[in-house]
Amino acid sequence: MVSHQKERIFFIDALRGVCLLGIFAVNMLDFQMPYLYMNPLDAAETVADRAVYIFIDVFAQASFYPLFAFLFGYGMVLISEKAEAKGVNSRPVLTRRLAFLLLLGLLHAFFLWTGDILAGYALCGFLLLPFLRRPGKKLLKTAGILYLAPNLLIAALTLLSGLAAKDLAEPEKAEKALHIYGNGSFLEITRYRMSEWAEIHHPWNLLVMLFIIFPFMLAGAGFANEGRLAGGRRLFSYYRKRFAFALPAGLVLKTLPYWAGETAGNVYIQDVFGGPLLSMAFLAGLYLAVNSGYGKKVFAAFSCAGRMSLTNYLFQSLVCTTIFYGYGFSLYGKVSIAAAFSAVIALFAVQVLISRLWLRRFSRGPAEWLWRKVYWTRGSRTAG
């Protein structure tokens, strides 16, 4: 077993906090307008709106959910190790953890926001259970093959199709979403949320998660078993090389639609290949900053938010749906992209402050406490 040190825990919390902010910036687009059914640049009324959207599209879109999935897989290995160190069978512990997360995700999707990621992560987590004890290098190799093989094929077919990204817009659905989310009652919006969720999460979508989310969980588990986040300065050369490659390569691919044309193929490559490359750059850059010493003070605030990531994620949905939906302040489709991004920064700053104050008295956030309460029980069977 790899010994996971406290220094590494700070890095994990800081990285999780950075991911929380990045995902919030992307999610805000969906909170404020029918993002799934339109080209957001069509809603960019000013230069500031356009600049903010391009910034989010290049640096945040598809760059942080891979890291969250990576950290999820990493965390499952840590929990498994902790259970076995206590003489407890880790399988039922992790099964309860995932079952609770699945239930919480469905409640979140149906009663707060359709864009929930928790249920999908829980389903992929169940798939990960048999792989947790496998050698790290094999997990990383499997993750690479599982991700690259189907996505390279899809990218090639999409490029050959020659579809324009604007052809993917659905004006009728956008108008319906604007009307219901902007003016509907809680019951009307809940009904629409459920139907929208069912339409998005069809069986094909579940298969797509196998190639889009699950490989990053495998990679996270592989990094945990290899000890690649717990090596301190010893791994600086490893991360410097990856940062030097991933940052320029990621930026080239993430800006592809802006310099090579906004086709469906280029947008697919931008997200599916450019996004993970920037994820690697963020991971490597933060590792170098935190473990060099000077980054700890800079990222201390992110660490606090990261320790309460589940609570903060749910809180973001609660606040933003109240602001934008008809049963709240009815601002759906009425706020500019730049103004909404300013709200992201302000709300996240508030979350950091609340997280700091909360963690002075408690060791974990309220949602994290409940989650832990569910999966750590005295009735767990001892490991054989």
Side-chain angles (χ1 to χ4, degrees), residues 135-288:
K137 290 182 179 179
K138 288 187 177 180
L139 289 177
L140 293 172
K141 184 177 180 180
T142 303
I145 294 172
L146 189 61
Y147 191 81
L148 291 175
N151 283 307
L152 284 172
L153 176 62
I154 294 172
L157 294 174
T158 309
L159 283 171
L160 292 173
S161 71
L163 292 174
K166 62 182 179 182
D167 293 336
L168 302 178
E170 301 178 88
E172 293 183 1
K173 289 186 177 181
E175 285 297 323
K176 185 176 181 180
L178 279 169
H179 174 71
I180 295 178
Y181 282 132
N183 305 290
S185 65
F186 181 81
L187 182 58
E188 290 171 333
I189 290 175
T190 298
R191 287 173 178 169
Y192 182 71
R193 262 192 297 244
M194 290 182 175
S195 64
E196 189 178 44
W197 187 90
E199 183 179 351
I200 294 171
H201 293 82
H202 49 72
W204 169 249
N205 182 274
L206 297 177
L207 181 62
V208 168
M209 285 197 300
L210 180 64
F211 305 124
I212 295 294
I213 295 177
F214 183 60
F216 295 111
M217 291 189 179
L218 281 175
F223 264 60
N225 288 335
E226 286 282 296
R228 293 193 184 182
L229 295 184
R233 300 179 69 91
R234 177 175 56 84
L235 294 176
F236 269 25
S237 176
Y238 175 87
Y239 282 106
R240 283 196 189 104
K241 292 177 182 177
R242 276 142 188 84
F243 182 79
F245 164 74
L247 183 61
L251 288 176
V252 168
L253 294 184
K254 284 305 297 287
T255 56
L256 182 64
Y258 298 99
W259 56 265
E262 196 178 14
T263 64
N266 287 343
V267 171
Y268 190 84
I269 292 172
Q270 174 196 34
D271 287 347
V272 175
F273 297 109
L277 280 171
L278 273 192
S279 298
M280 184 188 300
F282 293 147
L283 171 67
L286 186 61
Y287 184 92
L288 293 171

Side-chain angles (χ1 to χ4, degrees), residues 50-218:
R50 184 177 178 84
V52 168
Y53 173 72
I54 292 175
F55 175 80
I56 294 172
D57 188 42
V58 171
F59 289 98
Q61 171 65 27
S63 298
F64 288 102
Y65 82 79
L67 281 176
F68 245 175
F70 173 91
L71 291 172
F72 193 90
Y74 195 96
M76 285 186 63
V77 172
L78 298 190
I79 292 170
S80 177
E81 289 181 3
K82 187 174 182 179
E84 291 173 10
K86 292 181 175 182
V88 173
N89 188 342
S90 63
R91 183 61 67 90
V93 170
L94 290 169
T95 300
R96 285 193 298 272
R97 173 184 171 86
L98 294 169
F100 178 78
L101 189 67
L102 177 60
L103 175 62
L104 184 62
L106 293 175
L107 292 174
H108 177 231
F110 294 159
F111 297 106
L112 277 181
W113 181 52
T114 313
D116 169 77
I117 62 169
L118 303 179
Y121 279 23
L123 292 174
C124 289
F126 283 116
L127 294 178
L128 185 62
L129 287 175
F131 296 92
L132 293 179
R133 301 292 298 170
R134 296 193 178 183
K137 290 182 179 179
K138 288 187 177 180
L139 289 177
L140 293 172
K141 184 177 180 180
T142 303
I145 294 172
L146 189 61
Y147 191 81
L148 291 175
N151 283 307
L152 284 172
L153 176 62
I154 294 172
L157 294 174
T158 309
L159 283 171
L160 292 173
S161 71
L163 292 174
K166 62 182 179 182
D167 293 336
L168 302 178
E170 301 178 88
E172 293 183 1
K173 289 186 177 181
E175 285 297 323
K176 185 176 181 180
L178 279 169
H179 174 71
I180 295 178
Y181 282 132
N183 305 290
S185 65
F186 181 81
L187 182 58
E188 290 171 333
I189 290 175
T190 298
R191 287 173 178 169
Y192 182 71
R193 262 192 297 244
M194 290 182 175
S195 64
E196 189 178 44
W197 187 90
E199 183 179 351
I200 294 171
H201 293 82
H202 49 72
W204 169 249
N205 182 274
L206 297 177
L207 181 62
V208 168
M209 285 197 300
L210 180 64
F211 305 124
I212 295 294
I213 295 177
F214 183 60
F216 295 111
M217 291 189 179
L218 281 175

